[in-house]
Amino acid sequence: MRSSPGPFSSSSSSSSSSSSSSSSSSCDAPSSCFCGSHWGRKPRSGASWLQSSGRMMQYSPCPVAERSHWDATLRVPTGDFHAVLRDDEAALDWLSALRRVGVVHLKGAGPEPGAVARLAERIGYLRLTFYGPTWQVQDKPLANNVAYTSGKISLHTDYPALHAAPGVQFLHCISSAEEGGESEMVDGFHAAERLRRDDPEAFGTLASVQVDFTDMGTDYCDFLLQAKKSVIEVDAEGRVLRINFNNATRDSVLDLPVDRVQPFYRALRAFVDVLSRPENTVTYGLAPGDVLTFDNWRLLHSRRPYRSRPGQPRHLEGVYLDWDEVMSRLRILRQSVRGNA
Amino acid sequence: MRSSPGPFSSSSSSSSSSSSSSSSSSCDAPSSCFCGSHWGRKPRSGASWLQSSGRMMQYSPCPVAERSHWDATLRVPTGDFHAVLRDDEAALDWLSALRRVGVVHLKGAGPEPGAVARLAERIGYLRLTFYGPTWQVQDKPLANNVAYTSGKISLHTDYPALHAAPGVQFLHCISSAEEGGESEMVDGFHAAERLRRDDPEAFGTLASVQVDFTDMGTDYCDFLLQAKKSVIEVDAEGRVLRINFNNATRDSVLDLPVDRVQPFYRALRAFVDVLSRPENTVTYGLAPGDVLTFDNWRLLHSRRPYRSRPGQPRHLEGVYLDWDEVMSRLRILRQSVRGNA
């Protein structure tokens, strides 16, 4: 993974990416802004109601606004773990890039557990799930999840078995593998727009057909989850809102009319082909102290099989948050950093 | 509020309620079942895959399935607080009625705080929000929410300023008012179907126009929330999924094209008129030890102004959960209680 030339800068050579971004955006504000940015301006008159009105008339909380899509040429935005905890401007840069690009690589957290919880508290609070407040990605006996093995994990989004899948995920590397364990990530919004352009029938199928996801077992407590999701979730205007795709939890039964089964598998194959293109894939490895923060409604990520060092199992600690809480912190940081200017 | 003739039984004399219920349901299973009930059956053959296949082909996790709509004639299902904690069958009856009817009145919790957290743990875990893990509904100085006053609260659903509004709410009465404080509740799904039948244009407006909800302040931590929601949220087939309506957090700015403003207000007025009809409203009062458990995606509730007893302020403790977790517990209880029969 290439390192960024400057903190939180990112770029994509894919010009159609930005076009697909703007085409998928409903935000009338300048593309440099993010949802809620208009909170920050100085009143131009004493009429605070008109001012707030002006704010609202430009403000779009639409979750697909102000995204910049990317491909393999992405330079992943980077930041310093302690800086984002300590400094509001660094935190604002972090969360703005997380929103815009969908992934930010924080460095310098050290190898001690607890870093992801501290980042969650910086924002507000973490989201508890059936896998606990934070979760330990290690090779475990009697694993209740493929993540808790040393095997390969194919490209996926986390937790589609929850109707409300977590919006944001942080992964902190506490101990890396001796061999393997590298990850790949793909911008699911970019891939979905490519599919829409190149195979609109497949896009329409994945945006309309609902498939079952299931997850059962015992961790924080016992659970038995079922959800129906379209793999590409779009809003009433057809804008991509979320990617819901995880073959490890896609149900063994495909609950579709028989005449939809082959079109669904054909469309899923077409989407996986787009996701798997080298031109769309960023490969990265995490070193102890690195924290990958990313948009779980947008990014797909995978893991290669690995072998741990003798006596030192590979260990990542993870946590989930939701976009409501992250956007709330983003708006507050914007106010404090921009000084209402 | 009339008490139920038997535990967890409920009824509605509104025959069109059941018709609107079935018309809004996509569940092919018998109306007496609930989503996931088919987990429970004994294999009819050794072919477990076919059996699970049979389960899946009948199973619909659709959140609008197997609801029975109601009006003022509802006999609110009741249960015993300690029984649902102790006994799986009582817990199954509780959650099945919560799912089907949208409200269950648990009694006998006593006046000590902590009851709502114990109920949440019985299911799995509570949902933390900016108002804290649990929240104390009292008349507070410098209140950051209209709920934290002694004033009237009009019919509303909780927390539409979160894109992911809490699915389920528990309210435990620790100390009641000397005068006033009674609440009303309305089945928002029943009211929405009435509006669809009597004023389809208004229904269509509220199902398509998105309005802003906002909430800002400091409680568990500082927050600044913005969300766009349709007041009546429907799925791709037009089935009502959620009601999002809270005038206390509806934004001061209506971010709509000018030609949609008057149609929106007309439609909102028409919906509020349906919600406010005595024939649709159930009035109730909570005594110390009562816990009202209800579907926050479906029910609207209100509070009359009150005056506390001298030296004993009215006090309710509340908690939020989500339907994913409640449905998970419901499926597990079904398996344990029905003994796979």
Side-chain angles (χ1 to χ4, degrees):
Chain A
M1 180 170 67
R2 269 167 293 177
S3 67
S4 167
F8 296 105
S9 68
S10 67
S11 67
S12 170
S13 69
S14 166
S15 59
S16 57
S17 296
S18 31
S19 69
S20 64
S21 171
S22 53
S23 71
S24 70
S25 168
S26 73
C27 184
D28 299 322
S31 61
S32 63
C33 88
F34 61 81
C35 294
S37 66
H38 309 289
W39 276 95
R41 294 172 307 149
K42 270 211 174 64
R44 299 199 185 92
S45 80
S48 60
W49 183 88
L50 283 175
Q51 172 58 23
S52 82
S53 175
R55 181 263 302 171
M56 284 308 303
M57 295 309 288
Q58 294 179 60
Y59 167 56
S60 167
C62 168
V64 295
E66 47 87 31
R67 295 320 212 302
S68 66
H69 293 187
W70 47 265
D71 58 18
T73 64
L74 173 71
R75 296 185 175 187
V76 176
T78 59
D80 179 75
F81 172 79
H82 293 287
V84 303
L85 290 180
R86 184 180 59 235
D87 175 50
D88 278 358
E89 192 148 6
L92 175 60
D93 289 341
W94 166 44
L95 297 183
S96 302
L98 178 62
R99 181 68 177 172
R100 186 178 67 254
V101 184
V103 57
V104 176
H105 189 180
L106 299 179
K107 303 188 176 194
E112 299 307 314
V116 292
R118 289 176 67 192
L119 287 174
E121 286 156 17
R122 175 61 160 130
I123 289 168
Y125 45 83
L126 58 79
R127 175 171 169 187
L128 176 61
T129 71
F130 287 115
Y131 289 101
T134 67
W135 24 275
Q136 312 306 315
V137 182
Q138 290 173 300
D139 189 2
K140 302 176 183 180
L142 301 173
N144 61 3
N145 190 299
V146 65
Y148 297 161
T149 72
S150 62
K152 166 188 163 73
I153 310 177
S154 57
L155 281 168
H156 67 283
T157 60
D158 272 27
Y159 238 147
L162 289 170
H163 286 94
V168 173
Q169 179 174 173
F170 302 159
L171 277 175
H172 173 214
C173 180
I174 291 168
S175 171
S176 56
E178 181 172 60
E179 183 181 1
E182 303 85 0
S183 299
E184 288 165 339
M185 56 186 173
V186 175
D187 181 353
F189 288 1
H190 173 66
E193 294 303 333
R194 281 285 184 277
L195 187 70
R196 190 199 312 249
R197 184 193 68 181
D198 301 340
D199 192 340
E201 182 184 342
F203 180 93
T205 298
L206 295 184
S208 59
V209 166
Q210 294 208 317
V211 293
D212 290 283
F213 293 91
T214 185
D215 196 21
M216 65 193 78
T218 301
D219 199 309
Y220 181 81
C221 66
D222 52 339
F223 56 91
L224 180 32
L225 289 170
Q226 280 286 334
K228 273 191 190 298
K229 301 276 188 80
S230 56
V231 172
I232 299 175
E233 198 175 331
V234 299
D235 66 13
E237 285 70 45
R239 296 174 301 222
V240 177
L241 292 178
R242 290 178 202 85
I243 305 299
N244 304 301
F245 183 54
N246 190 330
N247 264 336
T249 55
R250 192 159 60 85
D251 204 287
S252 57
V253 174
L254 185 61
D255 182 17
L256 293 179
V258 68
D259 64 343
R260 305 303 306 275
V261 170
Q262 289 192 335
F264 169 74
Y265 279 123
R266 189 199 76 77
L268 191 60
R269 169 63 186 267
F271 189 41
V272 170
D273 285 346
V274 174
L275 292 169
S276 306
R277 287 179 195 156
E279 73 216 45
N280 293 331
T281 304
V282 171
T283 304
Y284 65 95
L286 291 175
D290 292 350
V291 185
L292 197 73
T293 67
F294 61 96
D295 182 343
N296 185 60
W297 286 354
R298 173 178 176 183
L299 261 68
L300 295 96
H301 59 290
S302 67
R303 178 190 71 195
R304 295 177 182 160
Y306 67 86
R307 190 180 71 242
S308 290
R309 295 183 172 79
Q312 190 186 15
R314 178 182 188 266
H315 182 191
L316 307 182
E317 183 173 45
V319 72
Y320 295 123
L321 288 86
D322 279 315
W323 271 113
D324 278 314
E325 287 76 7
V326 175
M327 290 304 295
S328 173
R329 180 57 56 202
L330 197 46
R331 296 183 190 103
I332 291 168
L333 288 167
R334 180 93 180 188
Q335 284 188 322
S336 64
V337 170
R338 310 280 164 112
N340 290 338
Chain B
M1 181 170 68
R2 268 166 295 174
S3 67
S4 167
F8 295 105
S9 68
S10 66
S11 67
S12 169
S13 69
S14 164
S15 59
S16 56
S17 296
S18 30
S19 68
S20 63
S21 172
S22 54
S23 70
S24 70
S25 168
S26 73
C27 185
D28 299 322
S31 61
S32 62
C33 87
F34 62 81
C35 294
S37 66
H38 309 289
W39 275 96
R41 295 173 304 149
K42 266 209 176 66
R44 298 199 186 92
S45 81
S48 60
W49 184 89
L50 283 175
Q51 172 58 24
S52 82
S53 174
R55 180 263 303 171
M56 283 308 303
M57 294 309 287
Q58 295 179 60
Y59 167 56
S60 167
C62 167
V64 295
E66 47 87 30
R67 296 320 212 300
S68 65
H69 294 188
W70 48 264
D71 58 18
T73 64
L74 173 71
R75 295 184 176 188
V76 176
T78 60
D80 178 75
F81 172 79
H82 294 286
V84 303
L85 290 180
R86 181 181 63 234
D87 174 50
D88 278 358
E89 192 149 6
L92 174 60
D93 289 341
W94 167 43
L95 296 183
S96 302
L98 179 61
R99 182 68 177 173
R100 186 178 66 254
V101 184
V103 56
V104 176
H105 189 181
L106 299 179
K107 303 189 177 191
E112 299 307 315
V116 292
R118 290 176 67 192
L119 287 174
E121 285 156 18
R122 174 62 161 127
I123 289 167
Y125 44 83
L126 58 78
R127 175 170 170 189
L128 176 61
T129 72
F130 287 114
Y131 289 101
T134 67
W135 23 276
Q136 312 306 314
V137 182
Q138 289 173 301
D139 188 2
K140 302 176 183 180
L142 301 172
N144 61 4
N145 190 300
V146 65
Y148 296 161
T149 70
S150 62
K152 166 189 163 75
I153 311 176
S154 58
L155 280 168
H156 67 283
T157 60
D158 272 28
Y159 237 148
L162 289 171
H163 287 93
V168 173
Q169 180 174 171
F170 302 160
L171 276 175
H172 173 215
C173 180
I174 291 167
S175 171
S176 56
E178 182 172 58
E179 183 181 2
E182 303 84 0
S183 298
E184 287 165 341
M185 56 185 171
V186 175
D187 181 353
F189 288 2
H190 174 65
E193 294 303 334
R194 281 285 183 275
L195 186 69
R196 191 200 310 249
R197 184 193 67 182
D198 300 339
D199 192 341
E201 182 184 342
F203 180 94
T205 298
L206 295 185
S208 58
V209 166
Q210 293 207 319
V211 293
D212 290 283
F213 293 92
T214 185
D215 196 21
M216 64 192 78
T218 300
D219 198 309
Y220 182 81
C221 66
D222 52 338
F223 56 91
L224 179 34
L225 290 170
Q226 282 285 335
K228 274 191 189 297
K229 302 274 187 80
S230 55
V231 172
I232 299 175
E233 198 175 332
V234 298
D235 66 13
E237 285 69 46
R239 295 174 300 224
V240 177
L241 292 178
R242 290 178 201 86
I243 305 299
N244 304 301
F245 182 55
N246 189 331
N247 264 334
T249 54
R250 191 160 60 85
D251 203 287
S252 57
V253 174
L254 185 61
D255 183 16
L256 293 180
V258 67
D259 65 343
R260 306 302 305 276
V261 171
Q262 288 192 335
F264 169 75
Y265 279 123
R266 188 199 75 77
L268 191 60
R269 169 63 186 266
F271 188 42
V272 170
D273 285 346
V274 174
L275 292 169
S276 306
R277 287 180 196 155
E279 73 216 47
N280 292 331
T281 304
V282 171
T283 303
Y284 65 96
L286 291 176
D290 292 351
V291 185
L292 197 73
T293 67
F294 61 96
D295 182 344
N296 185 61
W297 286 354
R298 174 179 176 184
L299 261 68
L300 295 95
H301 59 291
S302 67
R303 178 190 71 197
R304 294 176 182 161
Y306 67 86
R307 188 180 73 241
S308 290
R309 295 184 173 79
Q312 190 187 15
R314 179 182 187 265
H315 181 191
L316 307 182
E317 183 174 46
V319 72
Y320 295 123
L321 288 86
D322 278 316
W323 271 113
D324 278 314
E325 288 76 6
V326 175
M327 290 304 294
S328 173
R329 179 58 54 201
L330 197 46
R331 295 184 191 102
I332 291 169
L333 287 167
R334 181 93 180 188
Q335 285 189 320
S336 64
V337 169
R338 310 280 164 111
N340 291 338

